[in-house]
Amino acid sequence: MIKFNINDIEVEVEPGCTVLEAARQYGIEIPTLCYHEAVAPSGACRLCMVELKDGDWSKLVASCIYPAAEGINVYTETERVQNVRNWIFQMLLAQCPASVEIKTLAKKYGVTSSRFSIENPDEECMVCGLCTRACEEIVGLSAISMVDRGVYKKVGAPFMQPTDVCVACGCCVTICPTGAMRSYIDSVRSVRSVTLTPLAL
Amino acid sequence: MTNENTALNTKINSGRLNSHEDLNALRQQIIDKHDPTKLEVLVCHGTGCIANGSMEVSETFKKICETSGIDVKIKPNIKTTGCQGFCSRGPLVLINPQGIFYQRVKPKDVEEIIQKTIINNEPVERLLYKDPKTGEPIKTENEIPFYNLQERIVLHNIGKIDPTDINDKIAAGGYQALAKALTTMTPKDVVTEITKSGLRGRGGAGFPTGRKWQGALKAVDKKGGPVYVVVNGDEGDPGAFMDCAIMEGDPHAVLEGLILGAYALGSNNGYLYIRAEYPLAVKHLEMAMAQARELGLLGENILNSGFSFDARINRGAGAFVCGESTALFTSIEGKAGTPRPKYVRSVEEGLWGRPTVLNNVETWANVPLIIDKGADWYSKLGVLNNTGTKVFCLVGKVNNVGLVEVPMGTPLSKIVEDIGGGVPNGKPFKAVQTGGPSGGCIPYKLKDLAVDFDSLTKAGAMMGSGAMIVMDDRDCVVDVALYFLRFLEEESCGKCIPCRLGLSRMKEILDTFSHGKGSEKDIDDLISLAKAIQDGALCALGTSAPNPCLTTIKFFKEEYLAHINEQRCPAGVCKDLITYSIDPDACTGCGSCARHCPQNCISGEKKKVHVIDTQNCIRCGICMDTCKFDAVQVN
């Protein structure tokens, strides 16, 4: 077992556990969007940042991927952590203004408005890639993946064309942290090539 | 190369070398064949000189020497070399053994060089470098301040040897360190020697190389082999070309370093990750590897020592982020080059999840020097905890643009003013951007700052790979910060939110400043957002991206305030805040500005004062560039 401290509370977890998993076991809240127990963590949304401190030394790490280690001191609500969180929420509010989920989470952490301008008022997707990881790791199809890079990065099927690789299982819709996949999935799934004939009664 | 060397090579090549003695014998054979009194013409074939036409120069030399019927005895040996370093003066030609240095040589100058220097042993004065202070011509390379103030160790052979010919390298002492290590040192000795030398990674962060290697060895002990060694040749900083010059000009140095590293770590497989935009570097390394393999210096059973190692070249497809270690590994593995979280270090879990040692081109090129001459020799160079030398690329508003190597800890002013010859307009430089887009802006008042890893980090900049962009009073810091942010926004992989969205938003705020809008609160917001990105981003591209912006605010806040509060760009760069006008006292009415103006908004009669119509002017600045009388002013 590994013993360490979160917000000066001693916690004890199995080896191989991450800091986030440990915190959740002990009911310590750390916000996340791109994290889901069912897939491997990727550390993309950076909302789960926590501060490690050791005397004068300190460093911010993503708790969803940082392995729990003996004796470390983790703090979840320091000024630096809150600064990162605050700016990420502000940027997400401007980027995905249509997402109720993001608004709700941001409000919980005291962010209700953004200093940034809104480009697309209908946007819900934050491009965290959780849907594509679910499609790859859980469904095993990789019908969708990340397309392009940088500010142009988006989620889509190859060539942004509807694909019949997608079986419309809805896993991506269920797992999507911002609700974006609800409306997006119809552009991924192609029309079924086999027409089902209704049973003759 | 298709010069006499090739003919010579075929005679010399002895096939596989099986011992240190074989290597020494080959070396002696090459040296014996070489007549030290015979003239040698070294034409720089670095990328800069090639762009300036040095290929035509070397071709002309060969053609004239072959057809003009020069006496065989004095017929020079024409050699094409890697970057000789003084890039702003290219194409460069060096005549040995006298060491006569010719600059800006055109094909039409070749005949005169042959007539005067080769046949009659007298210099062509008009092609010599002239001392900018006295105007006196300087005959040899060693007397030129740009060269003699440097300490060229890693660059020692570059510009002197033909990079496409392994014999030239062997004659210069190539692979001696490898032979020494394989015959007299254990792998552990090699690691100890590197650790003792104090060598730190030249890629930017300055992590002690010896410690990295020890870390990998520990990981191998724990989980077993294989272990990989990788060269990071994905140099992408704007203004940086030192790795390019090393790979193009002395590929065997990189290769020998890599083989030594592999021997030290017990690795049998290596990768050279080189950006595809460096086709010459890829070509020269491919040739170097093929030649080394032929001589048994690479591949199975190197020098009959029982140690086998081979490497392959992976070309990077042009993503800046692939210079970041984990993105580089992901790219070699055949996936999209995005970084992965690295709370487990790459010496434990790197390429293919195996222990991996990734070092920069320049770091690898230092390894043979340390093994050959010893850690004690090396650690005497530079300053405490920052040993050795560093290669810099001096670019921007500086007279002597080029490749510079100085000991660590050299004051900034010595590099920019003494070696670099200062700013063209004669004024003191305004700032120097070190470390490319991840580095920081160092103002003139810190000109005595020692250039080493620790001092630069303390000043808020960073060593980075070694680009040094010199700026003068016509460079606007807001514009510079914007430039680097635009670059990084383009190059962000988009995986994590602070980098993907944060850099765009920083750019958005900076952009308002360049339009004379915004408030002081926006500066505070910008700093706060920048800190969030530094703390929150996933990889080094993101965490270091705010550096240029933060350092310019730190050192040039008054210039930011001038934009915001007075709607004024002191450097006269930000287009929305400037107007061009013509000084009636200086204007001669030559009409050059009017002819070049793309808007046709400059009018005036011949030989009379011209006027700019500021309403239609798009402030492109062409009139200013074209005016020979400095009559166009920016307000």
Side-chain angles (χ1 to χ4, degrees):
Chain A
M1 294 299 271
I2 293 171
K3 273 189 197 168
F4 68 104
N5 297 310
I6 304 180
N7 298 339
D8 297 322
I9 300 163
E10 194 181 75
V11 297
E12 201 178 276
V13 289
E14 300 276 338
C17 201
T18 64
V19 169
L20 179 70
E21 284 163 343
R24 296 214 162 153
Q25 272 180 38
Y26 281 81
I28 299 162
E29 281 194 42
I30 296 173
T32 57
L33 279 170
C34 75
Y35 173 80
H36 194 281
E37 301 85 343
V39 292
S42 85
C45 77
R46 317 304 282 177
L47 272 174
C48 68
M49 298 305 283
V50 292
E51 189 164 355
L52 299 185
K53 282 188 185 175
D54 186 7
D56 288 342
W57 176 89
S58 96
K59 177 180 154 186
L60 263 70
V61 296
S63 61
C64 71
I65 34 183
Y66 197 83
E70 193 67 39
I72 54 171
N73 292 305
V74 177
Y75 294 89
T76 65
E77 297 297 331
T78 64
E79 203 186 321
R80 278 169 83 188
V81 169
Q82 285 174 353
N83 186 46
V84 175
R85 216 182 264 165
N86 172 29
W87 282 109
I88 290 176
F89 276 131
Q90 281 204 43
M91 292 191 284
L92 286 179
L93 286 178
Q95 196 67 24
C96 326
S99 168
V100 180
E101 285 84 347
I102 287 178
K103 270 202 192 97
T104 314
L105 190 64
K107 197 175 164 195
K108 192 172 161 191
Y109 286 89
V111 186
T112 49
S113 65
S114 172
R115 68 151 282 149
F116 303 115
S117 56
I118 290 170
E119 270 156 40
N120 179 3
D122 300 325
E123 186 60 81
E124 288 177 294
C125 177
M126 59 179 271
V127 205
C128 68
L130 187 53
C131 51
T132 66
R133 286 183 282 136
C135 194
E136 184 185 347
E137 292 175 34
I138 302 173
V139 190
L141 285 176
S142 293
I144 46 170
S145 66
M146 306 306 281
V147 180
D148 219 323
R149 68 165 201 187
V151 287
Y152 308 107
K153 202 166 206 165
K154 50 188 175 285
V155 171
F159 308 106
M160 299 310 276
Q161 295 293 318
T163 171
D164 55 10
V165 175
C166 171
V167 294
C169 66
C171 190
C172 53
V173 180
T174 317
I175 209 168
C176 177
T178 68
M181 262 300 169
R182 277 191 296 258
S183 51
Y184 191 63
I185 185 155
D186 283 332
S187 66
V188 173
R189 175 175 46 175
S190 67
V191 181
R192 283 178 180 270
S193 50
V194 184
T195 327
L196 299 173
T197 355
L199 289 171
L201 292 170
Chain B
M1 289 283 109
T2 52
N3 57 28
E4 292 166 55
N5 282 354
T6 326
L8 216 64
N9 295 346
T10 44
K11 271 179 259 162
I12 282 176
N13 265 355
S14 59
R16 220 189 129 82
L17 305 173
N18 285 319
S19 63
H20 197 170
E21 289 72 39
D22 279 4
L23 178 69
N24 283 341
L26 174 63
R27 185 181 181 190
Q28 201 50 52
Q29 214 184 334
I30 302 163
I31 293 172
D32 289 345
K33 285 251 177 197
H34 179 76
D35 173 4
T37 60
K38 191 173 170 74
L39 286 180
E40 229 176 16
V41 176
L42 306 180
V43 184
C44 176
H45 269 207
T47 304
C49 282
I50 288 180
N52 273 324
S54 71
M55 273 175 154
E56 286 87 59
V57 174
S58 57
E59 284 308 314
T60 317
F61 263 112
K62 281 172 206 162
K63 218 164 78 197
I64 297 181
C65 285
E66 267 156 36
T67 56
S68 69
I70 316 179
D71 190 341
V72 189
K73 276 184 202 143
I74 51 169
K75 199 166 166 182
N77 185 10
I78 296 148
K79 204 151 90 174
T80 53
T81 71
C83 180
Q84 296 179 3
F86 208 167
C87 304
S88 55
R89 301 281 168 164
L92 307 174
V93 172
L94 191 67
I95 315 270
N96 274 343
Q98 303 99 311
I100 299 174
F101 177 84
Y102 289 134
Q103 53 161 10
R104 290 181 183 147
V105 179
K106 301 248 152 35
K108 64 177 167 51
D109 301 325
V110 172
E111 182 112 45
E112 194 180 345
I113 296 177
I114 291 180
Q115 276 306 324
K116 282 197 172 159
T117 314
I118 308 286
I119 298 178
N120 296 322
N121 195 19
E122 41 181 77
V124 182
E125 201 157 296
R126 66 183 176 88
L127 294 173
L128 292 174
Y129 176 78
K130 290 180 189 65
D131 189 304
K133 284 180 199 126
T134 61
E136 284 295 307
I138 300 176
K139 198 171 144 194
T140 67
E141 192 191 56
N142 300 337
E143 296 167 286
I144 298 172
F146 175 78
Y147 285 109
N148 67 21
L149 291 172
Q150 294 187 40
E151 190 148 347
R152 295 191 150 220
I153 292 160
V154 175
L155 299 180
H156 179 70
N157 285 322
I158 300 176
K160 304 280 183 292
I161 60 165
D162 179 353
T164 60
D165 180 6
I166 195 168
N167 288 330
D168 229 24
K169 175 71 182 176
I170 287 175
Y175 294 99
Q176 288 294 333
L178 177 66
K180 177 182 169 186
L182 289 179
T183 48
T184 64
M185 294 166 87
T186 65
K188 216 176 146 194
D189 291 342
V190 178
V191 179
T192 312
E193 201 69 12
I194 296 297
T195 311
K196 235 171 75 187
S197 74
L199 175 67
R200 293 173 67 172
R202 292 324 195 223
F207 191 83
T209 309
R211 237 168 71 199
K212 190 186 260 188
W213 292 16
Q214 283 168 351
L217 284 178
K218 253 186 226 150
V220 177
D221 276 349
K222 216 161 74 184
K223 56 203 265 188
V227 50
Y228 296 109
V229 284
V230 184
V231 178
N232 186 348
D234 196 52
E235 177 179 60
D237 289 2
F241 50 90
M242 49 283 138
D243 292 351
C244 173
I246 294 171
M247 290 187 287
E248 283 178 8
D250 196 0
H252 289 287
V254 184
L255 197 57
E256 190 182 354
L258 185 69
I259 304 170
L260 278 166
Y263 174 66
L265 297 157
S267 164
N268 305 111
N269 279 301
Y271 293 83
L272 296 103
Y273 191 88
I274 307 167
R275 65 190 295 215
E277 292 95 323
Y278 286 168
L280 200 59
V282 173
K283 187 177 146 198
H284 284 183
L285 270 161
E286 271 170 355
M287 290 171 94
M289 284 161 69
Q291 291 170 355
R293 254 184 226 118
E294 215 167 281
L295 290 181
L297 295 164
L298 181 70
E300 290 289 317
N301 196 10
I302 295 172
L303 286 177
N304 213 17
S305 65
F307 168 66
S308 300
F309 170 77
D310 214 332
R312 58 167 286 177
I313 293 175
N314 273 70
R315 279 177 299 167
F320 179 72
V321 72
C322 287
E324 197 275 341
S325 57
T326 57
L328 189 149
F329 297 145
T330 323
S331 173
I332 292 181
E333 287 167 10
K335 299 175 211 148
T338 52
R340 42 189 191 222
K342 68 178 214 188
Y343 298 130
V344 184
R345 292 177 303 146
S346 22
V347 289
E348 288 168 34
E349 222 169 272
L351 186 58
W352 314 111
R354 304 300 316 167
T356 306
V357 165
L358 172 76
N359 278 318
N360 169 265
V361 166
E362 199 186 325
T363 318
W364 286 119
N366 269 296
V367 170
L369 294 166
I370 294 167
I371 299 303
D372 193 28
K373 299 189 179 171
D376 290 335
W377 164 81
Y378 192 83
S379 56
K380 284 195 188 91
L381 296 160
V383 289
L384 189 70
N385 294 331
N386 290 271
T387 55
T389 59
K390 177 79 191 86
V391 182
F392 292 102
C393 289
L394 210 49
V395 295
K397 305 279 180 58
V398 63
N399 279 313
N400 303 339
V401 169
L403 209 55
V404 171
E405 184 175 357
V406 288
M408 288 274 185
T410 305
L412 186 64
S413 58
K414 185 177 173 185
I415 301 175
V416 177
E417 288 173 344
D418 301 344
I419 298 174
V423 172
N425 67 14
K427 290 185 205 157
F429 66 86
K430 177 178 179 173
V432 175
Q433 170 82 18
T434 63
S438 330
C441 226
I442 301 167
Y444 182 72
K445 65 174 183 217
L446 294 181
K447 69 181 166 61
D448 296 324
L449 186 78
V451 179
D452 58 52
F453 291 111
D454 302 331
S455 311
L456 283 174
T457 311
K458 231 162 113 189
M462 79 181 231
M463 180 72 90
S465 50
M468 264 194 188
I469 304 173
V470 183
M471 295 172 232
D472 69 1
D473 56 358
R474 295 272 295 133
D475 287 305
C476 166
V477 289
V478 178
D479 189 61
V480 167
L482 252 176
Y483 167 80
F484 284 118
L485 270 177
R486 269 192 215 114
F487 175 83
L488 290 165
E489 187 201 16
E490 276 282 302
E491 293 297 342
S492 165
C493 82
K495 182 169 176 177
C496 76
I497 287 173
C499 182
R500 171 162 47 85
L501 300 181
L503 299 184
S504 301
R505 295 305 186 178
M506 275 183 77
K507 198 189 79 180
E508 195 178 286
I509 301 175
L510 269 174
D511 211 39
T512 58
F513 297 166
S514 72
H515 289 91
K517 298 188 187 108
S519 65
E520 286 186 41
K521 186 189 167 287
D522 289 333
I523 299 186
D524 296 338
D525 273 5
L526 187 62
I527 296 173
S528 168
L529 172 59
K531 290 199 169 138
I533 297 173
Q534 280 184 330
D535 278 341
L538 172 72
C539 80
L541 187 149
T543 53
S544 62
N547 289 356
C549 182
L550 285 175
T551 48
T552 47
I553 294 178
K554 182 176 167 192
F555 294 120
F556 298 97
K557 190 156 186 191
E558 70 291 344
E559 216 172 305
Y560 276 84
L561 294 174
H563 283 76
I564 296 165
N565 296 335
E566 303 164 40
Q567 285 71 52
R568 186 170 63 85
C569 174
V573 174
C574 296
K575 284 194 179 8
D576 278 10
L577 310 179
I578 54 168
T579 49
Y580 284 98
S581 63
I582 294 174
D583 177 4
D585 296 332
C587 179
T588 62
C590 71
S592 175
C593 54
R595 275 196 305 280
H596 287 93
C597 176
Q599 288 291 92
N600 285 325
C601 67
I602 303 180
S603 53
E605 283 174 46
K606 236 182 185 173
K607 298 198 174 160
K608 294 228 171 93
V609 173
H610 281 51
V611 184
I612 298 174
D613 169 12
T614 47
Q615 281 296 307
N616 287 319
C617 174
I618 53 165
R619 296 174 283 276
C620 65
I622 289 177
C623 51
M624 196 173 192
D625 295 338
T626 182
C627 180
K628 290 195 178 83
F629 308 98
D630 290 332
V632 181
Q633 299 168 323
V634 59
N635 321 45

